[in-house]
Amino acid sequence: MTPTTITRVHARRVWDSRGRPTVEAEIRLASGVVGRGIAPAGASRGSREAIDLRDGGTRHGGFDVAQAVANVRGPIARAIYGMDALDQTDIDAKMIELDATPNMATLGGNATVAVSLAVAQAAALAHDMPLWQYVAGDEPVSLPLPEVQIFGGGAHAGRRIDIQDLMVMPVGAWSFDDALTMVAEIYRAAGTLMQEQGKLAGVADEGGWWPAFASNEEALQMTVRAIERAGCHPGGDAAISLDIAASEFGRDGRYTLALDQRELDSDGLSELLLDWIEHYPIVSIEDPFAEDDRDAWIAFTRAARHRVQIIGDDYLTTSAQRVTEAAADAACNAVLIKINQAGTLTEARAALDAGKAAGFGTIVSARSGESEDTAIAHLAVGWNAGQLKVGSFARSERMAKWNEVLRIEDAMGSDARFTGAAVLPPRK
Ligand code: 2PG
Ligand code: MG
C-alpha cells in the first residue's frame, strides 16, 4: 500500500442546478485525502452519449439515481479498491471493462464520471497540487477564452426560441479577468435592454436572460445591441457564438424553426446560417445541423470554415473516434469536450487530443444541469483546451467555474498565459 492507494469508494445522492438528483462520488486514499466529483446532466443530449442512468418510475420525475449510486458503492468500489489513484488511465479502463457496453449503459455514465473526477481530485490533493497543475504535468497550460451565454433558448428555456445558446466571446480581451469584465457589462446591458422593452422575464437554465423574442433573429439583434450598449465593439471586442443544437428541432434533413413558423431542409438551414454569418459578428457555431445530417455538416464546413469555428457537440459526443472521422470528412473544425458524454476523464482527454491532432479548436464545456463542482475550470486550463463554455454569467453553479479560473489566473501571476482569439481554429 502506498499513500495514494484507494482505501474507500463512496457515493451519495446530491442535487443539481435544476433541483434534480445527481451522483456525488468520494475517493479516499491511504494518506487520508479525499477527492470528490459530481456528475453534471445535459438536457439536449447526443444519442451516442454515455448513458445517464436514472431510476425511472414516478419519484423525482423518474430522475432519481439510486441505482447509479449503488453501482459506485458496489461494483465500482470493488473493482477499483486498492488501485493507485495516480493510475487514472487504469482506473478508467477498469470501469470501462466492468461496464462492458459502448456507452456505460450498465454502470451509468453519471456513476463513472463522478468516480473518474473524484479519483483525479484525490490524486491532485495527494500531490498537494491544484487539479489543473496535476493534469497538465509538464505540458504547457493556458487560460481559456470564455464562451458566455447571454440568452438561453431551446431545451433550456421551454423552447421559447429555437436556437439554444446565444453567447459572446470576448475576442478582444487581453486576460481572463479582462474577458469576464467585458462579459459582465454585456450581460448586464442585455438585461437592461430587455427591461426597457418590457421583456425582462427572468433567466433560463444556464442563467442567460429568458428569450422573450418574436423571432430567432431578434435574439441575434439583441445580442449585438447588448455588446454595443456595454461600450464594446461587436466583432472587435466581443463576438457572437451560437449553439444551434439543431438535433433538437431537426431530423432526416428537415428542420422546424417553430418560432419563425418555417420548415427548412438542410440547404435552407445552411443558407440561413450563412446569411447570419454575413450580417452578424459571429465567430463560432455549434451543432449547426442534426447529428444524423453528415452531408450537411460537410457542405456547411466547406462554405463557412474560412469565417467561423464550427463545433461538433451532439455530432461528436466527446468521442476520439468520432473526432477523427469528422476530421477526415472535414465535417467541422472544433470539438466540444463534455466529460460526462464520454463517461471518464481518460476518454474525454483522448477526444481532446484527437481534436488537437486534427488542428481543431477544443472547448471544455459544462452541461445545462450543473453543480458547485469546479473541475472543468481546472481541466480547461490544465489540458490547454483554449476555450471554456460554462453557461451564462449568473447562477452560482456557473459563477463557481468562472471564479475558479480567476483564482487560477491570479495564482499563476506573471506566468498566466491567455491568448484570446488566437485559440480559434485558423480560418483557412
Ligand atoms: C450544450 C449544453 C450546454 P446540454 O448543448 O452544449 O449548453 O447543453 O448540457 O443540455 O446538452
Ligand atoms: Mg451544444
Side-chain angles (χ1 to χ4, degrees):
M1 186 140 72
T2 71
T4 47
T5 301
I6 295 175
T7 56
R8 185 167 190 247
V9 180
H10 186 56
R12 66 175 67 84
R13 180 183 69 186
V14 295
W15 304 89
D16 76 8
S17 58
R18 280 192 274 250
R20 287 182 186 162
T22 191
V23 182
E24 175 170 85
E26 262 177 24
I27 300 290
R28 178 186 290 270
L29 308 186
S31 67
V33 306
V34 177
R36 191 182 279 161
I38 305 181
S44 68
R45 299 168 45 81
S47 66
R48 294 179 190 82
E49 291 191 20
I51 293 294
D52 189 21
L53 189 64
R54 304 286 176 169
D55 297 342
T58 51
R59 260 171 74 88
H60 303 301
F63 285 103
D64 215 350
V65 290
Q67 187 57 51
V69 166
N71 289 348
V72 178
R73 293 183 180 181
I76 294 177
R78 283 194 292 278
I80 70 170
Y81 180 85
M83 290 182 81
D84 190 327
L86 304 185
D87 295 336
Q88 182 84 40
T89 315
D90 291 348
I91 292 169
D92 288 343
K94 191 72 152 189
M95 290 195 286
I96 293 166
E97 183 194 319
L98 182 65
D99 180 83
T101 71
N103 58 352
M104 293 295 189
T106 317
L107 298 173
N110 42 351
T112 59
V113 78
V115 170
S116 195
L117 287 169
V119 167
Q121 293 283 14
L125 280 169
H127 276 88
D128 203 16
M129 276 180 190
L131 182 62
W132 68 264
Q133 200 175 3
Y134 171 68
V135 300
D138 296 330
E139 298 295 315
V141 299
S142 63
L143 279 315
L145 178 65
E147 197 186 2
V148 190
Q149 190 190 67
I150 302 300
F151 297 104
H156 306 160
R159 303 188 193 282
R160 179 62 184 75
I161 63 173
D162 302 287
I163 304 175
Q164 183 182 283
D165 298 315
L166 284 110
M167 297 168 286
V168 293
M169 299 184 89
V171 289
W174 53 270
S175 70
F176 187 81
D177 179 57
D178 184 43
L180 288 194
T181 304
M182 211 186 287
V183 166
E185 294 290 9
I186 297 167
Y187 181 75
R188 202 163 59 86
T192 307
L193 284 167
M194 294 303 269
Q195 190 168 27
E196 285 171 1
Q197 298 188 3
K199 291 180 173 170
L200 193 63
V203 298
D205 278 11
E206 298 188 5
W209 300 111
W210 188 261
F213 299 122
S215 68
N216 285 290
E217 191 163 355
E218 192 189 339
L220 277 166
Q221 290 160 356
M222 281 296 274
T223 308
V224 174
R225 289 186 57 195
I227 294 171
E228 287 168 346
R229 173 67 81 95
C232 295
H233 178 258
D237 296 323
I240 294 179
S241 168
L242 303 175
D243 183 359
I244 306 295
S247 292
E248 290 291 307
F249 59 85
R251 70 161 51 101
D252 298 330
R254 306 296 307 174
Y255 295 89
T256 307
L257 293 171
L259 183 61
D260 303 339
Q261 295 181 317
R262 284 174 86 180
E263 186 174 312
L264 300 170
D265 61 11
S266 306
D267 288 343
L269 180 57
S270 180
E271 270 165 41
L272 178 68
L273 296 176
L274 289 169
D275 183 66
W276 284 352
I277 293 169
E278 186 71 33
H279 293 100
Y280 298 94
I282 297 170
V283 287
S284 183
I285 300 192
E286 181 179 325
D287 281 349
F289 301 93
E291 60 174 61
D292 63 359
D293 205 354
R294 174 171 170 258
D295 292 345
W297 277 84
I298 294 170
F300 182 74
T301 296
R302 195 179 305 130
R305 68 165 172 241
H306 306 281
R307 295 146 79 178
V308 292
Q309 167 172 262
I310 301 143
I311 308 174
D313 169 17
D314 294 352
Y315 190 62
L316 300 176
T317 52
T318 314
S319 149
Q321 190 192 331
R322 298 268 305 161
V323 171
T324 305
E325 285 165 7
D329 283 349
C332 56
N333 62 11
V335 54
L336 204 74
I337 301 293
K338 291 169 164 171
I339 320 300
N340 77 328
Q341 278 185 332
T344 61
L345 270 186
T346 303
E347 291 162 286
R349 176 65 204 245
L352 179 116
D353 288 344
K356 285 189 175 174
F360 277 20
T362 54
I363 305 97
V364 170
S365 172
R367 301 306 306 246
S368 50
E370 270 294 335
S371 71
E372 65 274 26
D373 192 314
T374 59
I376 61 163
H378 287 262
L379 296 175
V381 174
W383 286 353
N384 200 16
Q387 299 174 63
L388 177 62
K389 177 186 180 192
V390 162
S392 193
F393 211 67
R395 297 180 51 137
S396 285
E397 79 279 6
R398 314 288 149 190
M399 304 318 290
K401 276 85 162 168
W402 300 133
N403 289 340
E404 189 72 0
V405 181
L406 286 175
R407 289 183 196 103
I408 297 170
E409 183 176 51
D410 189 32
M412 285 179 171
S414 58
D415 289 338
R417 192 168 66 93
F418 174 83
T419 51
V423 297
L424 296 169
R427 304 189 195 172
K428 51 180 192 244

